[in-house]
Amino acid sequence: MQFSENWLRSLVNTDLDSQALSHALTMAGLEVEEMQPAAAAFNKVVVAKILSAEKHPDADRLQVCTVDVGLAEPLQIVCGASNARVGLIAPCAMVGAELPGISIKQAKVRGVESFGMMCSSKELGISAEAAGLLELENDAVIGQSIREYLDLDDHLFTLKLTPNRSDCLSITGIARDVAAITGAKTNFECILPVVADLQHIKQVTVNEQAACPRYSGRLITGINAQAKTPDWMIKRLERSGLRSISAVVDITNYVLLALGQPMHAFDAAKLSGDITVRFAKAEESLSLLNDQTITLKADDLVIADVNGAIALAGIMGGRPTSVTDLTTDIFLESAFFVPAVIVGKARRLGLSTDSSYRFERGVDFGNTRNAIEYATTLIKQICGGEVGEVTEVIGALPSRSPVKLRLARLISVLGISFSQDSVAQLLTQLGFTFTATDAVFTVTPPSYRFDIEIEEDLIEEIARLHGYDHIPATPPIAMLNMLPAPEATKHQSRLRDILVAAGYQEVVNYSFVDESWERDLLGNATPIKLKNPIASNLSVMRTSLWGGLLDTLTYNLNRKQERAFLFETGAVYHKHAGAYVEETHISGLAYGSAKPEQWAADSADIDFFDVKVHVDALVGMKLSYEKAEHTTLHPGQTARIFLEGKPIGWLGKLHPKWQQHYNLTKSTYLFELDLAMILNCKVTVYQEVSKLLPVRRDLAVVVDENIAVQTILDSIKNANIPLILEVALFDLYQGKGITENKKSLALSVLMHDTQKTLTDSDADTAIANLLKLLQNKFDATLRN
């Protein structure tokens, strides 16, 4: 919201200077994003009148002018402006004036003395370009400072408002808040009903009163649409960031800025029949003021006549019924549309208008009639015409339920002491109606305060009026107790530390992703779609973290990072049995060399088993891996990860087609685990260290090549063969000497007895039991 400081001070003239006012607004929650002067700094420029203009004797394009600047004697000034003429009133920079980038001195121009310079708006720093001298009105006082005449000693404030403060999207709303903050008195213009000159009305039917609880309209006939907009209004519009278009449009824009009520004027001659407020019909189209033709949807609220839609309610009017210079009769509209009906519609159409910006956040429904009366007054003053009666349809307007504020609760939340009288004074400054009983205030918010709904809203209002910078920073005094940290539960920070120690770097990506990632990369044909995505490529919720990791990898590779170990902990989303389920996963990606480049070892690329080691270290418990298939991963290098028989995640190499899609020159390995499944761990139990040495025996068995080694190792472990402590695979062989479709497994067998030293006989018995198990269960044979 941009506005002129001088306009604001005409409504509430506080004693604060510009900087202090800016600080006060910011500390009260209305952040001043920018404050800049209305014009560049200059001096000694006055209103002047050209008394005579004669051709320069030595230059075709120059004139020697006699100029009245309000002194006893006129000045001789050489001027080259094309519009310099006798009787013209324009700015004149006197000798000694300092303009932006120019110092004015007495000089000779082609042999003729010049005692100043006639100025354009560009030379004064008011505009970027100018075609000639800045022409002033005939009533300008000769000799008056141009800064005073053009009101250039002004500042342009730009507020960065939060969405809940839609009441400050008008100069009146800001003035109300300044008055509440500073205690200054307001000087609002009294808006009186305009007495109708005619009995003519246009009937209005509101079919959707839940969407449009209040609609006011008025016919005004015989206006002069070509009337000139007053300079004071143009100045206020331009300093608020709006350009002047025509008198009628300027007036509706001015009312929007002054009162915060969007309005629209239709050319009454172009309307057919009465006005209806309804939702759009199927495939109904509308040509907007910006020359964009849109196809309306069933949830688009429109203003229509008998021929169809003539305006998109709360967003933009239609081109066919717009006001032009030839318009003589208008139908003026002022309405209240429910924010939920307007929100998102402008963005869907690629539009952003001042009207939609306000209606989406909430407009004061109590000001609808005032706005149409104020606009009517201005139209009569500027454009003339005869006024008809107001047609008004009022339905069920939003209620302003009383909100209770407990003094004790206020003091408890803010941590500072307030008396009941001081709180009452602050509520009065805010313009709130209230009663107070037993230190409890029952407050009824005004119609323009949509944001006051609960007790905390009132506490915030008291805090900001008191001043956030006046709330002391009191150190908290409380007992500090150690939080429980059970050994059987890991903290997420511990998992992060493990991966960081392994060389991984943490990344954070959006939870909403490109639909193609879900559909193609992850094989999810029915992703969870967002109703109102912030961007077209962020339209669905993710079911895996892999898409973001691959995107981050590509970003880094494009910046010459040849090695990337990345991980992310974040939420993923699924739809299960008609309900949405959110889970937290931890996922990692490894690309490039296994270790950073160094002189002491050759570089080797990361492989499946390197990443498997990282996953084992991350979980810290015995995992099992089973061959599986996943859309994202290589069909021959993909494993489903199990913990105590339950699937907890995936590990594998990126599928070749995706490696080609992302232009990856090296293999990429990915893993993803369900965080909830790995946060619980077994508490370490102490076991006495035996003084007796273990016995190791190595043996090689031949089994069918389709039997998974993990299955064999699990069977040995579950058998609990006496004395056998651990069995591990240290070699796998297929080839010469091994029957086709068979493989040789070299196993190391560690045997131990904590009570005695094992003999060869004991070891032979244990090995025999092991071989018997393998023969019976897997048809294994001892390799010769």
Side-chain angles (χ1 to χ4, degrees):
M1 172 69 186
Q2 180 178 308
F3 61 91
S4 158
E5 180 185 357
N6 286 352
W7 188 7
L8 176 65
R9 288 185 181 275
S10 70
L11 300 179
V12 53
N13 194 8
T14 172
D15 294 333
L16 300 178
D17 62 23
S18 300
Q19 289 293 342
L21 177 60
S22 172
H23 179 74
L25 286 170
T26 298
M27 295 312 298
L30 307 182
E31 181 185 351
V32 178
E33 187 174 34
E34 185 179 17
M35 183 182 75
Q36 59 183 1
F42 61 83
N43 59 10
K44 299 187 74 174
V45 181
V46 299
V47 177
K49 182 177 182 179
I50 299 177
L51 302 177
S52 66
E54 299 177 359
K55 184 177 177 300
H56 192 288
D58 293 328
D60 293 337
R61 297 186 179 181
L62 298 179
Q63 296 185 79
V64 180
C65 301
T66 303
V67 180
D68 181 5
V69 293
L71 300 177
E73 296 292 332
L75 301 179
Q76 177 176 286
I77 296 176
V78 178
C79 181
S82 59
N83 63 335
R85 63 187 182 275
V86 175
L88 175 68
I89 299 178
C92 176
M94 310 284 282
V95 172
E98 295 290 338
L99 304 184
I102 308 173
S103 296
I104 305 301
K105 300 178 182 178
Q106 179 180 339
K108 281 188 177 183
V109 181
R110 292 287 186 94
V112 177
E113 291 283 354
S114 182
F115 297 90
M117 183 179 77
M118 302 300 291
C119 300
S120 68
S121 58
K122 179 181 179 181
E123 288 155 343
L124 297 178
I126 298 174
S127 62
E129 297 295 334
L133 299 180
L134 177 59
E135 300 192 15
L136 306 178
E137 296 293 332
N138 291 329
D139 60 355
V141 178
I142 305 302
Q144 183 182 12
S145 167
I146 198 68
R147 296 193 71 90
E148 180 183 342
Y149 176 75
L150 294 178
D151 194 22
L152 298 181
D153 293 321
D154 191 10
H155 286 92
L156 307 184
F157 281 66
T158 302
L159 299 185
K160 186 178 182 181
L161 296 172
T162 51
N164 63 313
R165 292 309 307 273
S166 61
D167 60 299
C168 288
L169 288 170
S170 69
I171 197 72
T172 299
I174 298 168
R176 271 195 305 254
D177 239 44
V178 170
I181 296 164
T182 64
K185 293 184 178 180
T186 56
N187 182 32
F188 295 137
E189 185 175 349
C190 182
I191 301 174
L192 299 174
V194 178
V195 179
D197 304 310
L198 307 168
Q199 298 302 313
H200 301 317
I201 62 169
K202 185 169 281 292
Q203 293 294 337
V204 175
T205 302
V206 179
N207 292 344
E208 306 296 337
Q209 289 201 5
C212 176
R214 187 168 192 175
Y215 189 97
S216 302
R218 166 178 265 160
L219 276 171
I220 305 177
T221 62
I223 68 166
N224 175 17
Q226 300 180 37
K228 184 180 182 301
T229 304
D231 289 340
W232 62 267
M233 183 178 289
I234 293 175
K235 179 174 62 180
R236 288 180 174 179
L237 289 172
E238 290 178 344
R239 293 184 184 180
S240 300
L242 300 180
R243 63 183 179 87
S244 175
I245 298 173
S246 67
V248 174
V249 175
D250 290 348
I251 289 168
T252 57
N253 284 337
Y254 181 78
V255 172
L256 175 139
L257 294 172
L259 303 180
Q261 172 66 51
M263 299 188 68
H264 186 68
F266 299 94
D267 188 328
K270 299 174 183 176
L271 299 177
S272 300
D274 296 328
I275 298 295
T276 303
V277 182
R278 59 172 173 80
F279 282 115
K281 298 176 182 178
E283 299 302 316
E284 191 171 14
S285 63
L286 174 62
S287 177
L288 298 175
L289 285 171
N290 64 351
D291 294 325
Q292 177 182 350
T293 300
I294 60 172
T295 300
L296 299 167
K297 295 189 176 182
D299 61 346
D300 288 328
L301 189 69
V302 298
I303 314 301
D305 62 8
V306 295
N307 291 332
I310 57 174
L312 189 56
I315 298 174
M316 187 178 289
R319 171 66 69 184
T321 57
S322 62
V323 174
T324 67
D325 287 347
L326 302 178
T327 299
T328 57
D329 303 335
I330 62 171
F331 178 71
L332 204 57
E333 169 194 275
S334 177
F336 171 71
F337 303 112
V338 174
V341 177
I342 307 300
V343 70
K345 303 296 171 52
R347 185 189 302 171
R348 186 176 71 193
L349 296 168
L351 301 173
S352 178
T353 66
D354 289 316
S355 294
S356 65
Y357 189 83
R358 285 161 173 79
F359 277 123
E360 286 175 347
R361 287 157 177 77
V363 169
D364 180 11
F365 55 82
N367 214 26
T368 308
R369 182 65 180 263
N370 278 344
I372 203 167
E373 297 291 0
Y374 189 36
T376 303
T377 301
L378 292 173
I379 289 173
K380 283 200 70 172
Q381 290 174 358
I382 298 168
C383 304
E386 295 184 310
V387 177
E389 296 282 355
V390 173
T391 305
E392 192 163 31
V393 179
I394 302 178
L397 295 170
S399 61
R400 288 289 177 266
S401 302
V403 180
K404 292 188 180 298
L405 172 63
R406 296 163 291 171
L407 183 61
R409 174 63 175 165
L410 172 68
I411 295 171
S412 173
V413 171
L414 297 184
I416 51 179
S417 180
F418 283 99
S419 67
Q420 185 165 324
D421 290 341
S422 64
V423 174
Q425 176 61 34
L426 293 174
L427 292 174
T428 301
Q429 288 176 213
L430 286 164
F432 292 176
T433 303
F434 65 92
T435 59
T437 306
D438 297 329
V440 177
F441 294 87
T442 303
V443 182
T444 303
S447 60
Y448 52 82
R449 291 305 298 268
F450 280 73
D451 56 319
I452 306 299
E453 295 181 338
I454 58 177
E455 186 175 31
E456 284 71 17
D457 295 331
L458 290 173
I459 294 174
E460 180 185 4
E461 290 297 296
I462 298 298
R464 72 184 190 87
L465 255 66
H466 177 75
Y468 292 120
D469 50 344
H470 294 150
I471 297 177
T474 306
I477 301 174
M479 294 297 294
L480 296 179
N481 297 317
M482 293 290 291
L483 295 175
E487 288 185 79
T489 303
K490 291 182 184 175
H491 195 273
Q492 287 189 29
S493 60
R494 173 59 184 154
L495 301 180
R496 291 188 174 97
D497 290 343
I498 292 171
L499 288 175
V500 169
Y504 287 79
Q505 291 181 304
E506 187 172 13
V507 300
V508 178
N509 291 300
Y510 283 118
S511 293
F512 19 87
V513 298
D514 195 322
E515 186 174 356
S516 64
W517 290 3
E518 287 293 315
R519 184 184 61 247
D520 302 330
L521 180 66
L522 299 169
N524 180 13
T526 57
I528 301 172
K529 294 186 178 182
L530 297 171
K531 288 185 176 180
N532 190 23
I534 61 173
S536 60
N537 62 331
L538 299 171
S539 59
V540 300
M541 302 303 291
R542 65 185 178 186
T543 58
S544 170
L545 307 179
W546 285 345
L549 291 176
L550 287 168
D551 191 53
T552 306
L553 171 63
T554 303
Y555 182 89
N556 281 273
L557 293 179
N558 290 339
R559 285 152 184 80
K560 304 301 180 183
Q561 296 293 329
E562 298 179 354
R563 180 177 182 269
F565 282 31
L566 309 172
F567 80 94
E568 180 176 7
T569 304
V572 297
Y573 306 86
H574 303 274
K575 196 170 185 179
H576 179 71
Y580 296 112
V581 179
E582 178 181 336
E583 298 174 350
T584 303
H585 284 191
I586 185 166
S587 180
L589 175 150
Y591 177 91
S593 58
K595 296 181 179 179
E597 185 177 5
Q598 58 168 309
W599 61 271
D602 294 335
S603 177
D605 287 344
I606 194 83
D607 63 20
F608 181 94
F609 295 101
D610 291 327
V611 181
K612 180 177 177 292
V613 169
H614 299 159
V615 174
D616 288 337
L618 180 65
V619 177
M621 291 180 282
K622 184 67 175 177
L623 298 176
S624 60
Y625 297 82
E626 294 184 6
K627 183 179 178 181
E629 290 188 1
H630 192 286
T631 310
T632 312
L633 303 176
H634 193 295
Q637 298 188 47
T638 301
R640 195 82 163 95
I641 306 173
F642 291 84
L643 175 63
E644 298 179 347
K646 297 179 181 178
I648 64 168
W650 292 87
L651 166 64
K653 178 182 176 182
L654 185 65
H655 197 288
K657 73 173 182 179
W658 294 114
Q659 185 167 340
Q660 183 179 7
H661 173 81
Y662 286 102
N663 296 319
L664 303 176
T665 58
K666 298 180 180 180
S667 298
T668 304
Y669 294 90
L670 298 159
F671 70 84
E672 186 157 335
L673 305 171
D674 186 340
L675 193 64
M677 302 290 285
I678 65 174
L679 288 179
N680 294 323
C681 59
K682 294 181 178 179
V683 178
T684 303
V685 179
Y686 171 76
Q687 288 184 333
E688 183 181 357
V689 179
S690 176
K691 298 179 181 179
L692 305 174
L693 297 178
V695 174
R696 172 173 168 162
R697 292 279 180 91
D698 294 344
L699 57 92
V701 294
V702 178
V703 297
D704 190 272
E705 68 176 357
N706 293 324
I707 298 176
V709 175
Q710 188 65 49
T711 304
I712 295 174
L713 296 177
D714 289 343
S715 296
I716 296 172
K717 182 179 180 181
N718 294 333
N720 289 320
I721 299 173
L723 303 182
I724 293 181
L725 181 66
E726 183 181 337
V727 178
L729 175 75
F730 67 88
D731 189 33
L732 185 152
Y733 174 72
Q734 287 179 290
K736 186 178 179 180
I738 302 298
T739 308
E740 188 177 357
N741 298 327
K742 297 287 185 177
K743 61 184 176 183
S744 172
L745 306 178
L747 304 174
S748 66
V749 183
L750 200 65
M751 293 168 282
H752 192 211
D753 191 328
T754 59
Q755 303 301 319
K756 67 175 183 176
T757 302
L758 292 179
T759 63
D760 288 343
S761 174
D762 295 331
D764 291 342
T765 301
I767 293 296
N769 290 335
L770 173 60
L771 289 173
K772 183 177 180 181
L773 170 69
L774 296 178
Q775 183 178 5
N776 292 338
K777 198 159 187 178
F778 302 105
D779 196 23
T781 59
L782 189 64
R783 180 181 172 189
N784 294 330

